[in-house]
Amino acid sequence: MTDTVFNAAGTERTATIPSGIRSIQQWLEMPLAPQPADELPLLRAHLKALREIDGTLPQRVRILDGLYSRSTMVTSRLIPSLSVDLVLPVPRKTRRIVRSLLDLLQMLADDTLAQLDVHDRQHVPDKERQLALWRSVYVLAQQLMISDLIASPARAGTWLLLHQTYAEARRLQLHATVPRGEVHSLQHLYHAAILLGWAQPASLTAREVLFLTDYFERFANQIEPLSSSAAVNAATLCIDPLRDAAAMSSFRKIALPTADLDCYSIAGLCALLKVQIAQLDAGTPPQELNLPDFAGTPAGRGVLVRLSVRWSNSGKRRFQRRMQNQRALVGAGIDGLWQLSQKGTAANVELSTWMITNESPEGYSVMHVSGNIGALSVGDVAAVRTGSDQNWQICMVRWAVSENPEHLELGLQILAPRAVPAILAQPSDGSTGTEHLRVLILPEIPKLRTGQWLIVAAGALPKHRDKLLLVIEEENVAVREVKSIYVDEQTGSVEILSIEPDQDPF
């Protein structure tokens, strides 16, 4: 029997895989490979071999248990490496590893569910059925989360299989109890998975996806089932259990629902979010709130705030989108935008070309055509110039979708029609005197925003520094003293502050 393995360069080679229960058991007793990706082809090959091997039910269950345990260990070792400094679109080597990992998890889900038919015929105790269902939900939820990490759409059929597996567990009344050796019930795993899908993972970075995965694992018990006839509000999500899709807003009209909808209220979770944000702002460490450490960072707090705002309103679109096919130039990052705002086309900034696929007064959906996009990611700022317009609009990347290494789509929200480049002077922590940071001032927009915004790199400002000194060089050099009155938004890349002139001396 043969299968494909990856060498250190990420290319493929063929390896001979032994078959037979004894040989699989001997392999399971061997230590893990130094590189966890090397385990993936071998695990898939042994799962394939197990389907063809004759053996008693206890023997097959024992081998599948071993392959499941080894697969979950390999997955837990691989996932952190997928989220560290991940850039989009994901490189080919990384995407091949992810595809191999997703194949493995799908095989585990299929084989574990196939056990249920055998259990039914042989009248196996309910605890064995419960464990098989629990493991299937777990690996399916892992599949969905890994797709979210690389901004890729979920595989066809994954959501449907997850919904069906949970429905079967409910039918057997095995969803609410915790299997031996596990921490959470199958219902808890399912609720955490649908919450992550409801959180719009395309609008998250890989680190933020892992953060919310951890967060929902801790607080998924805050959502409450509702009847489909319950009052519709912004804090209600619905699931069509016979549709291959994540949860959707209760405000959305579903054409020809295929079954009675499963509805959930997240009002309790929204209230908890607001309390946690207030406590973090008051200086309470995240550990005392049973929050992941990431919640104590600007990006972590920003994710919680965005969830709280998004889940507390209907999210109805204010403007209709118009289909487009015009080209646009895009520059990324605060430094790039600073130079473009300062020098225009004379700036030494690497630009990329994108196709605008649709637009509205609030922003654009764009698809990459050519050019190096650098480290542009969700939560970063970008400058966009369309057609013959000489102005660079200042936008924020709100979501990203990448189906393959040649494909990347972004959603850009327009923050301002232009920016004023400035230098922020602040005392340095060391003995080097004053530190100078490049920042962007976004002017007020009549009828939309009365005040000015200041865009700074994430974590660049001390938490409680309100008074700021800005140096602006246009036709003349001007020095402005301003104060920060509110943090409008925090992401892993930037912070946006509302500012106003400071009348008091420093």
Side-chain angles (χ1 to χ4, degrees), residues 1-7 10-18 27 33 35-49 67 70-71 74 78 96-105 107:
M1 183 175 183
T2 62
D3 197 44
T4 300
V5 297
F6 298 106
N7 60 23
T11 56
E12 298 182 353
R13 60 183 176 84
T14 300
T16 301
I17 308 298
W27 180 79
Q35 298 298 323
D38 293 339
E39 293 274 332
L40 299 176
L42 300 171
L43 284 164
R44 296 200 320 273
H46 287 312
L47 280 169
K48 291 178 184 176
L67 291 172
R70 192 168 182 119
S71 298
V74 168
L78 274 173
R96 281 200 299 269
I97 293 173
V98 170
R99 186 170 59 246
S100 181
L101 178 57
L102 293 177
D103 288 342
L104 171 64
L105 293 174
M107 293 178 67

Side-chain angles (χ1 to χ4, degrees), residues 267-279:
L269 186 55
C270 290
L272 178 63
L273 271 170
K274 293 176 181 178
V275 171
Q276 291 169 335
I277 293 167
Q279 291 175 317

Side-chain angles (χ1 to χ4, degrees), residues 424 426 454 461-469 481-487 497-502 506:
L424 172 64
Q426 64 173 348
L454 183 71
L461 294 179
K463 188 172 183 179
H464 299 293
R465 182 170 177 80
D466 298 327
K467 297 184 179 182
L468 309 170
L469 186 65
E481 295 178 353
V482 301
K483 61 180 179 181
S484 169
I485 57 176
Y486 187 74
V487 179
L497 315 175
S498 288
I499 58 173
E500 64 180 16
D502 182 27
F506 275 75

Side-chain angles (χ1 to χ4, degrees), residues 415 440-443 449 451-455 488 496-499:
L415 301 180
L440 298 169
I441 302 173
L442 304 187
R449 187 175 68 243
Q452 294 184 333
W453 278 351
L454 183 71
I455 300 181
D488 281 87
I496 301 179
L497 315 175
S498 288
I499 58 173

Side-chain angles (χ1 to χ4, degrees), residues 30 55 61 79 88 96 109 123-124 177 251 255 313 350 398:
M30 296 173 61
V61 168
I79 285 176
L88 296 176
R96 281 200 299 269
H123 306 291
V124 174
T177 55
F251 288 104
N313 60 59
E350 192 165 27
R398 288 302 185 189

